[in-house]
Amino acid sequence: LLQNGVNSGTQNGNELQQGTNPKYMAFLKDKVAEALIEAYEDMKPGTLTYAQKDIGEEYFNNKNRPTSDTIMSDLSRFVFTPDNAKYRPTMIINIAAHPDVAGLPTSSNSGREISGDYVYYCGELLDKAGYNFMFFQGAIAGIYMARGVTGDNVPTEQRVEESQRYGYELARMALSLTKTEEEIIADSMLNCADEVKENTELVSIYDEEGYLKQEFKDSGMLPAYYTIYN
């Protein structure tokens, strides 16, 4: 950065240094081209449907323009359903929130952990629902996800716990866009209201070393909604 500033400011004729690795960029372009060709050759006939809903500003944390009244708070969903039922449908989700919340440093988190963030957990739940998953990032600037109504006023020791809750909530909303209220209530994967309502104590899903506790691994339940009852 310093050398480029000198070269640019003094017009000394030296070339500006690239901020990317040329070998890696060439590798990346080759992989993208190969993926495009493979996808084209594997195309299947089917139906593409679209749904969209404004999910409200509580799901977004505007760090870029806190005084602005404009936040892109839509959740957009495409679903490609192959004509041949033996192939899984693919769901494409688009929202405008940075998926790097788990890496933000806090008093209990160095911010150096590697994480798939909420996109991973969204895909995890959609996979259980029978979908392939693709995530498209929207216009974001300094806008991040916010726990909003997904937190249930539960304290979190690890940022990844917030990412889990947000990802699962995002998946549930995407799965619910074209369903009636009655269909959502009847679907145990989508409706967890009774579980939250009856909950008497919410506990951390991680041990003191930051690893998922064994009882949560063994439970088979989504850890963000695990509860203990009286």
Side-chain angles (χ1 to χ4, degrees):
L1 181 61
L2 178 60
Q3 187 60 52
N4 281 347
V6 171
N7 293 342
S8 179
T10 61
Q11 298 293 313
N12 56 21
N14 294 334
E15 292 185 6
L16 299 181
Q17 299 179 29
Q18 295 296 318
T20 57
N21 184 312
K23 291 183 179 180
Y24 177 75
M25 296 308 296
F27 161 80
L28 185 61
K29 290 178 181 178
D30 287 343
K31 289 299 181 182
V32 170
E34 291 173 6
L36 289 170
I37 293 172
E38 183 179 351
Y40 175 80
E41 293 177 345
D42 193 46
M43 283 196 304
K44 304 289 191 301
T47 303
L48 184 67
T49 57
Y50 172 72
Q52 184 180 60
K53 179 176 177 57
D54 186 342
I55 60 176
E57 296 187 4
E58 288 187 352
Y59 285 98
F60 301 88
N61 183 7
N62 187 359
K63 292 181 176 291
N64 186 53
R65 295 176 296 274
T67 59
S68 172
D69 293 331
T70 303
I71 293 181
M72 298 181 66
S73 53
D74 288 337
L75 167 63
S76 301
R77 184 198 77 182
F78 287 91
V79 176
F80 176 73
T81 306
D83 292 340
N84 191 331
K86 77 174 185 178
Y87 297 112
R88 285 161 59 104
T90 297
M91 184 177 294
I92 302 171
I93 293 179
N94 164 250
I95 65 167
H98 273 293
D100 56 2
V101 179
L104 294 177
T106 65
S107 59
S108 60
N109 176 26
S110 69
R112 296 182 178 180
E113 290 88 350
I114 296 177
S115 170
D117 220 276
Y118 70 77
V119 177
Y120 170 82
Y121 298 106
C122 181
E124 185 179 57
L125 186 55
L126 292 177
D127 179 70
K128 293 178 182 294
Y131 290 90
N132 300 320
F133 173 53
M134 295 178 66
F135 179 78
F136 287 173
Q137 183 61 74
I140 44 180
I143 299 176
Y144 299 82
M145 75 85 163
R147 286 185 67 192
V149 295
T150 68
D152 304 322
N153 296 315
V154 180
T156 51
E157 299 177 9
Q158 303 279 340
R159 292 304 295 262
V160 69
E161 293 176 81
E162 300 182 14
S163 297
Q164 286 176 322
R165 288 177 173 274
Y166 193 87
Y168 295 146
E169 185 80 355
L170 187 66
R172 286 189 172 96
M173 288 189 291
L175 290 167
S176 302
L177 284 183
T178 53
K179 293 181 180 294
T180 65
E181 181 178 354
E182 290 76 15
E183 289 174 326
I184 295 171
I185 292 174
D187 191 328
S188 60
M189 180 174 287
L190 300 178
N191 178 29
C192 58
D194 290 340
E195 186 176 346
V196 173
K197 182 179 179 181
E198 295 177 14
N199 174 48
T200 58
E201 181 184 1
L202 287 160
V203 298
S204 174
I205 64 175
Y206 292 98
D207 60 26
E208 294 179 355
E209 296 180 355
Y211 294 101
L212 188 67
K213 293 179 180 177
Q214 190 62 45
E215 60 263 34
F216 293 100
K217 292 181 181 179
D218 297 338
S219 69
M221 299 178 65
L222 296 178
Y225 290 91
Y226 193 91
T227 56
I228 293 179
Y229 301 97
N230 284 334

